[in-house]
Amino acid sequence: MSSALLRVLLLALLIFTLSPQRSDGQPGMELEEWCIADPQTPDDELQKAIDWACNQGGADCSKIQANQPCHLPNTVKDHASYVFNDYYQKFKHKRGTCYFRAAAMVTSLDPSHDSCKFDYVP
């Protein structure tokens, strides 16, 4: 094999290795993911998870307060989804998860609505 051909093959292998991979292993951009409340989780469990995320967890819960962009709809599930996602996006690269004692789940559908924008951090 000629050295020129070997260089081309090695360069192609290097480029493929360094290119972004999707979570399904295919080349390309990583899939966007948000963390939301599991709709089957009872409100009292969601509220406990919200309380933890807002107090000990470091999530920014200011946007779910009255007169803020994510207050409406004013449901425990909707507030939990915003808070869970805020925590997940902040800490997913530091071992933070979207678990919340099985009260949450990952989605590839952007849960943003109206003036309430859910952050996504690549």
Side-chain angles (χ1 to χ4, degrees), residues 82-118:
Y82 182 83
V83 169
F84 294 173
N85 187 67
D86 185 81
Y87 173 88
Y88 180 63
Q89 298 300 329
K90 283 181 180 174
F91 299 111
K92 66 183 177 184
H93 296 299
K94 298 176 185 175
R95 298 180 145 196
T97 66
C98 177
Y99 183 66
F100 297 95
R101 294 190 176 191
M105 56 192 272
V106 172
T107 181
S108 60
L109 299 174
D110 185 350
S112 298
H113 54 89
D114 302 318
S115 62
C116 183
K117 302 302 177 213
F118 281 56

Side-chain angles (χ1 to χ4, degrees), residues 3-101:
S3 63
L5 180 58
L6 184 58
R7 282 189 205 135
V8 169
L9 288 174
L10 287 174
L11 181 59
L13 180 61
L14 179 64
I15 290 171
F16 179 76
T17 303
L18 295 177
S19 66
Q21 299 287 313
R22 296 188 331 203
S23 60
D24 61 4
Q26 298 298 314
M29 299 306 294
E30 186 174 320
L31 295 176
E32 294 179 348
E33 293 182 333
W34 293 266
C35 180
I36 60 171
D38 184 330
Q40 297 180 0
T41 303
D43 281 358
D44 62 320
E45 292 298 318
L46 291 174
Q47 188 61 57
K48 288 177 190 173
I50 290 171
D51 293 344
W52 179 86
C54 291
N55 296 315
Q56 294 91 359
D60 177 7
C61 300
S62 64
K63 290 196 171 90
I64 63 170
Q65 302 304 315
N67 301 314
Q68 294 300 310
C70 298
H71 180 68
L72 297 175
N74 186 12
T75 67
V76 174
K77 183 181 82 61
D78 286 288
H79 288 181
S81 290
Y82 182 83
V83 169
F84 294 173
N85 187 67
D86 185 81
Y87 173 88
Y88 180 63
Q89 298 300 329
K90 283 181 180 174
F91 299 111
K92 66 183 177 184
H93 296 299
K94 298 176 185 175
R95 298 180 145 196
T97 66
C98 177
Y99 183 66
F100 297 95
R101 294 190 176 191

